[in-house]
Amino acid sequence: MSANIDQLVPTKSLIDLSTHSDNDFGLTDYNLCSLFDDLLLAEYADETLDGDIIRDGVIVPANTIQRAWRVGRVILAGTGCKNVNTGDHIIFPHDKGIPISGITIEGHGKLEHGIFLNEERLFGVCKPKNECSVTNT
């Protein structure tokens, strides 16, 4: 006789992973202070409060772009990161990394829509156009 784990009634000895599937890792009693190696934590910079992605002023539902590139702003960078710093805007694949929400970052506050990535997964560093200097040659 086998039992379906989804049918078990939660007890104190079972770990409730239902909130993990919502990217909420349950660190409500702690602030994240630093990262190791080439890990970084980025806050999505290309989405609305509803989680839709903005491309050239057009709102595209996130569930329609599973393999798109994304833009984020680095909130924390591990000690092994060589090419990015806190505050940099980065471009990375949408389907890589571990999404996270509802975590408080020391010196930043609560992060609602972010992602953990390895620096090697990044496509590059970018800047919003209003921060770029234009030169005529």
Side-chain angles (χ1 to χ4, degrees):
M1 176 177 189
S2 63
N4 182 343
I5 194 165
D6 294 327
Q7 302 299 320
L8 294 176
V9 177
T11 64
K12 193 172 185 177
S13 63
L14 290 177
I15 298 171
D16 181 9
L17 295 177
S18 62
T19 58
H20 175 72
S21 64
D22 296 332
N23 305 325
D24 183 349
F25 286 84
L27 292 175
T28 56
D29 294 335
Y30 297 90
N31 290 344
L32 183 61
C33 303
S34 63
L35 298 175
F36 299 118
D37 298 323
D38 73 334
L39 293 175
L40 57 94
L41 176 61
E43 179 176 37
Y44 291 110
D46 62 351
E47 73 179 22
T48 67
L49 294 175
D50 296 326
D52 293 325
I53 299 170
I54 302 171
R55 290 284 183 265
D56 295 324
V58 176
I59 296 176
V60 182
N63 62 353
T64 64
I65 314 178
Q66 293 305 314
R67 298 177 74 67
W69 53 270
R70 298 298 305 269
V71 176
R73 186 173 60 88
V74 177
I75 303 301
L76 286 175
T79 56
C81 289
K82 297 177 180 153
N83 300 303
V84 298
N85 297 299
T86 300
D88 285 347
H89 282 83
I90 54 173
I91 300 174
F92 55 92
H94 177 72
D95 63 342
K96 303 296 185 243
I98 300 172
I100 190 165
S101 64
I103 186 170
T104 304
I105 311 301
E106 187 174 86
H108 175 76
K110 193 165 189 176
L111 182 64
E112 292 301 334
H113 296 106
I115 188 165
F116 284 111
L117 295 158
N118 290 91
E119 186 180 37
E120 69 184 20
R121 299 260 188 206
L122 304 179
F123 294 146
V125 175
C126 61
K127 288 184 180 180
K129 284 190 177 184
N130 62 352
E131 293 180 16
C132 293
S133 59
V134 179
T135 58
N136 295 327
T137 54

